Amino acid sequence: ESVKMLDQAGLLPLQKTVIASLRALKGADVNYEPMYPNFPEQVIETDYQALYQNALAHYWTNGNWKPDFKKYPQKLAFENIEHIVIDIATDKNFNQIFTKLLASSESLSAEDKKIIDWFIKNVDEQKLIYPEKIPFLENRAVVSANLLQQNKNVEPLVSTSTDILRLVTYLSGGDVSLSENTKFKSLPRRKRRQLVYQLERVIREEDIGRHKNKWIRLFHSLHVGDYSQKVFDIAAKARSNKKLYSFNRKVQALIDSVNIVEAVKLLSTRPGEFCRRLDHLLRLSETQAFQAVIIDAFLEVADKIPTRTLLQLLGHFKARLFDQPSKVVFPKGSMQKAVILRGPYARLNEEVGNHINAALTHTLKKRFALQEPLGKVWIDPALQDCPLPTQQRSASSGLYQVARGTRLPIGENNTLRFFIYWIGQDIDLSASFHDDKFKLIEQISYTNLKSSHYQAYHSGDITSAPNGASEFIDIDIDSAVKHQARYVVMNVYVFSGPDFAEHKTCFAGWMTRKKPKSNEIYDPKTVMQKIDITAKSRNIIPVVFDLLERKTVCVDLVMPRNSITRPQANNIESNRASIAEILEAIVNIDNKLSLHDLFTLHANGRGEIVESVEEAEIVYSMTQGITPYHINDINTDYIG
């Protein structure tokens, strides 16, 4: 309706900017030229010997030779398309992007941090609406770094030494989660002086000891001796390896001496640390009565713990009501990895577990009851398949973002089509098929262009792409399920060469097709997701498909470097164990609350749950109202 009111002068910029942006979001802004241009028929009809000979000729010429095949026009056919509706944005909507991002209680993706940068640098300061507080410290560093670059006062955003460390890390292009080392950039004298002044105001030995090696390098970079004797003295202590005060060391000493009572008293002064130690303390306690004392002491300080942390703790303790052969952890960092810790882990006493879960639930409901009333609420049961969003700092930018582990319906189409496009050295697209025990059955890759069991085909391996190249894989869902394949894992590898981050362009995605032998190989209307791959890694799993339930399981995880046994041949064969382990980890996540759990807590605290969408004033579902795609709204309005 709005576009109808535009004249030609208004339509031209819309066409040039909006349509171009939409094409890029769908990956429709490049040319796709696979090895076999008449894919999939050409691969289906070509015998194994010819496929093998063509591959050898391509490899022997270092990727310069390709079969000289003419591309024939594909017949046209109607596909089942679910169009994405684009709402109109007002000035208010637009400015709220900045506010909501900063009000989020969760880490932001690299793309979201760029958006904050853009607002600060391009929007009039008078129009920028900052939230009352910036709860997540990493997000605060993005703002303070921008203010410092503009020679503005950063004091309101600096309350600890670690705030300074994050600020300089961000300015140096490093990981503000501080899980990786950063090479600090040299800063002008004026900025060094300003930073050391702020550091002098808030410095504590404990903060320095927590990241001592990083601080030793940063002290040198800031020339702290030129500006502050106080900071210089602590820096000298750190450099000479003298002991710095540590709260955690004091707590650990009490635990090691089995003085749990004093440990609980000390932890009560730091509710966040108490939260992290709670499970350990309960396991150390010999009697149920003593466990109850620990829980009661914790609950006395629970009101001081952020909502997100309490939600994570509730998810953890719900899982602790059951025996666990293993558990999955996701270490923080700019690259998301999944780690399986093998147990077994014995369940907590049922009465103790129920006690703490009931108490945490009550605390959260009471907190939510203080927020604005929701009225009548309908919650889609399908949201039980959607974990709470966490660790978005490592999320790849793409057509949409949802939390890792989110399960989305594939739809009625029976063909999955994976795709990658890249510019640079040799990148490979592969698909691995696994049974319901996660065991590898077969793969489709450059070593096996078509399956002998399923209707599954690879468009041909291209080893050099100075001007861009593409690869595709087609998978017929019904034929794979018929031959006992439960899961398909999409794998993208750098066969040899630099990390994805060092390639000029690399993106991947998937579409579903009803008529795989019709229309263009790349039909943007059918694309379900396209993500940019920019990780400092050579292995990534973007997605897993549960073929039996016909659901997409969003993954976006890198695989560990030490899984690469042959650096010059990075492929499925050299990563079998890691693939199976990551598949098991992402499928078996059981220690996270779901969006259904979250919205139910809110509804019980400040609303009324109704039985149908028609009765509801607010809807939480997969397709309307608040959905899993509204990550920033969820983080700000429901978790913040």
Side-chain angles (χ1 to χ4, degrees):
E1 292 300 313
S2 297
V3 170
K4 281 180 183 178
M5 296 188 295
L6 296 177
D7 56 17
Q8 186 173 352
L11 280 171
L12 283 174
L14 183 75
Q15 190 274 333
K16 287 179 180 178
T17 58
V18 176
I19 302 301
S21 297
L22 294 177
R23 290 180 64 83
L25 281 171
K26 282 273 191 169
D29 57 336
V30 299
N31 294 320
Y32 294 87
E33 297 181 358
M35 176 78 78
Y36 294 94
N38 300 303
F39 178 81
E41 299 102 312
Q42 203 166 13
V43 175
I44 297 170
E45 295 166 2
T46 304
D47 62 44
Y48 285 97
Q49 184 176 355
L51 293 173
Y52 185 72
Q53 289 173 339
N54 289 339
L56 283 179
H58 182 69
Y59 301 150
W60 285 338
T61 61
N62 294 320
N64 291 315
W65 180 89
K66 295 179 185 177
D68 188 17
F69 293 124
K70 181 180 179 182
K71 182 180 179 182
Y72 297 105
Q74 299 274 58
K75 65 180 181 181
L76 299 176
F78 287 106
E79 289 276 3
N80 294 333
I81 305 295
E82 288 191 21
H83 292 97
I84 299 172
V85 177
I86 303 173
D87 291 332
I88 192 167
T90 63
D91 285 342
K92 183 179 179 181
N93 298 146
F94 180 74
N95 289 327
Q96 280 180 342
I97 294 172
F98 175 78
T99 311
K100 278 190 175 290
L101 286 176
L102 287 181
S104 172
S105 63
E106 173 55 58
S107 57
L108 298 179
S109 67
E111 188 71 17
D112 284 338
K113 288 170 186 169
K114 288 180 183 177
I115 291 173
I116 291 175
D117 279 344
W118 185 91
F119 269 96
I120 293 174
K121 292 171 182 174
N122 292 278
V123 176
D124 190 305
E125 189 176 6
Q126 302 301 318
K127 294 182 179 179
L128 287 178
I129 303 173
Y130 285 88
E132 289 184 15
K133 65 175 182 177
I134 303 175
F136 204 77
L137 299 179
E138 294 176 26
N139 303 341
R140 196 183 299 175
V142 178
V143 178
S144 58
N146 272 285
L147 293 177
L148 184 74
Q149 286 178 313
Q150 298 174 25
N151 296 314
K152 294 180 179 176
N153 182 26
V154 299
E155 184 169 326
L157 297 172
V158 174
S159 56
T160 69
S161 313
T162 311
D163 288 338
I164 296 287
L165 181 58
R166 292 189 200 280
L167 189 163
V168 183
T169 298
Y170 185 77
L171 286 176
S172 302
D175 175 14
V176 290
S177 74
L178 305 179
S179 63
E180 299 175 9
N181 288 325
T182 298
K183 184 177 180 180
F184 297 114
K185 290 182 178 178
S186 177
L187 296 173
R189 183 178 180 86
R190 179 178 178 180
K191 288 184 172 53
R192 294 202 306 268
R193 184 190 299 113
Q194 187 176 353
L195 286 170
V196 175
Y197 169 76
Q198 295 298 334
L199 184 57
E200 183 180 51
R201 185 174 58 85
V202 298
I203 194 167
R204 294 190 311 173
E205 283 191 14
E206 183 180 357
D207 293 340
I208 304 305
R210 196 175 293 120
H211 301 283
K212 188 170 77 169
N213 291 333
K214 292 182 177 66
W215 273 111
I216 289 172
R217 295 195 302 275
L218 183 55
F219 285 141
H220 177 75
S221 179
L222 292 177
H223 304 276
V224 294
D226 294 347
Y227 312 109
S228 168
Q229 186 63 44
K230 177 182 177 182
V231 175
F232 179 77
D233 289 343
I234 294 177
K237 196 172 180 181
R239 289 186 186 119
S240 59
N241 211 26
K242 292 181 180 178
K243 277 190 177 181
L244 299 168
Y245 173 80
S246 171
F247 177 86
N248 281 328
R249 189 184 298 122
K250 197 170 181 180
V251 171
Q252 192 60 49
L254 291 170
I255 290 175
D256 291 342
S257 62
V258 201
N259 192 344
I260 306 302
V261 173
E262 288 303 315
V264 167
K265 285 182 181 178
L266 185 58
L267 284 167
S268 294
T269 66
R270 298 271 185 96
E273 292 296 335
F274 201 165
C275 190
R276 296 182 186 93
R277 300 265 189 170
L278 182 57
D279 193 305
H280 186 205
L281 291 171
L282 293 174
R283 282 183 276 123
L284 290 174
S285 303
E286 296 180 356
T287 66
Q288 191 174 323
F290 197 31
Q291 288 176 326
V293 170
I294 293 171
I295 293 171
D296 289 341
F298 172 75
L299 293 175
E300 286 182 12
V301 297
D303 280 340
K304 300 175 183 177
I305 296 172
T307 298
R308 174 173 292 280
T309 307
L310 289 179
L311 289 167
Q312 290 171 341
L313 196 64
L314 180 57
H316 169 80
F317 277 108
K318 280 191 171 183
R320 293 286 280 113
L321 291 173
F322 308 94
D323 291 325
Q324 297 171 294
S326 62
K327 59 183 179 180
V328 183
V329 295
F330 296 88
K332 73 175 182 178
S334 58
M335 293 189 298
Q336 189 64 80
K337 301 174 183 177
V339 177
I340 295 182
L341 303 178
R342 301 295 177 184
Y345 298 93
R347 72 180 76 181
L348 275 179
N349 174 279
E350 185 175 1
E351 189 173 334
V352 172
N354 287 334
H355 177 191
I356 192 165
N357 285 330
L360 287 169
T361 299
H362 175 73
T363 300
L364 287 162
K365 284 181 185 177
K366 188 171 69 172
R367 185 173 294 186
F368 295 151
L370 300 175
Q371 296 179 229
E372 186 178 339
L374 293 173
K376 295 182 178 180
V377 171
W378 184 77
I379 307 171
D380 188 345
L383 292 174
Q384 292 170 352
D385 280 342
C386 305
L388 295 188
T390 57
Q391 301 198 31
Q392 291 303 115
R393 70 174 68 81
S394 55
S396 301
S397 61
L399 184 58
Y400 62 82
Q401 282 187 5
V402 292
R404 291 179 178 88
T406 298
R407 300 170 73 93
L408 302 171
I410 294 173
E412 298 178 359
N413 293 347
N414 197 53
T415 298
L416 292 174
R417 178 166 290 173
F418 300 167
F419 62 87
I420 59 169
Y421 177 89
W422 79 99
I423 297 174
Q425 297 186 37
D426 191 0
I427 293 179
D428 289 324
L429 174 65
S430 305
S432 56
F433 295 80
H434 303 255
D435 63 18
D436 57 2
K437 304 295 184 186
F438 314 115
K439 181 182 177 182
L440 178 66
I441 303 172
E442 188 182 7
Q443 81 266 6
I444 295 296
S445 64
Y446 74 90
T447 62
N448 186 36
L449 293 189
K450 55 183 177 180
S451 170
S452 55
H453 301 97
Y454 329 120
Q455 295 174 38
Y457 315 99
H458 192 293
S459 67
D461 182 30
I462 298 176
T463 62
S464 180
N467 300 310
S470 57
E471 294 180 7
F472 295 85
I473 290 177
D474 268 16
I475 299 164
D476 180 89
I477 296 173
D478 287 345
S479 72
V481 171
K482 182 180 177 182
H483 288 87
Q484 310 307 312
R486 171 71 186 268
Y487 302 104
V488 171
V489 180
M490 180 182 184
N491 306 278
V492 183
Y493 299 110
V494 176
F495 177 82
S496 61
D499 292 345
F500 293 116
E502 296 177 60
H503 281 74
K504 182 179 178 181
T505 300
C506 182
F507 62 78
W510 56 94
M511 58 187 87
T512 63
R513 301 292 283 265
K514 181 182 180 183
K515 305 285 186 180
K517 298 179 182 179
S518 302
N519 305 314
E520 290 295 318
I521 295 175
Y522 192 91
D523 184 352
K525 294 189 297 296
T526 65
V527 170
M528 297 183 70
Q529 172 67 309
K530 172 254 180 183
I531 63 171
D532 297 318
I533 302 179
T534 58
K536 295 176 182 178
S537 171
R538 297 173 67 231
N539 307 34
I540 188 169
I541 295 178
V543 67
V544 167
F545 291 91
D546 184 334
L547 301 181
L548 194 61
E549 294 191 6
R550 297 183 69 90
K551 287 186 177 179
T552 301
V553 186
C554 301
V555 178
D556 193 17
L557 291 173
V558 302
M559 294 203 290
R561 287 176 181 270
N562 59 14
S563 68
I564 304 170
T565 56
R566 293 179 293 157
Q568 295 306 313
N570 186 28
N571 53 26
I572 282 184
E573 285 81 357
S574 61
N575 288 278
R576 291 186 183 195
S578 294
I579 296 169
E581 188 164 271
I582 286 180
L583 173 60
E584 181 183 355
I586 203 73
V587 169
N588 286 338
I589 293 176
D590 60 1
N591 60 349
K592 286 187 177 184
L593 294 184
S594 69
L595 290 180
H596 189 278
D597 296 327
L598 174 67
F599 296 139
T600 300
L601 284 167
H602 274 275
N604 288 334
R606 57 186 179 121
E608 174 192 352
I609 297 177
V610 296
E611 297 296 320
S612 67
V613 176
E614 291 73 23
E615 299 175 74
E617 296 171 76
I618 186 166
V619 171
Y620 304 100
S621 78
M622 302 295 286
T623 56
Q624 58 179 308
I626 303 297
T627 73
Y629 306 100
H630 292 89
I631 280 186
N632 291 326
D633 291 323
I634 293 167
N635 280 325
T636 302
D637 301 333
Y638 295 89
I639 300 178

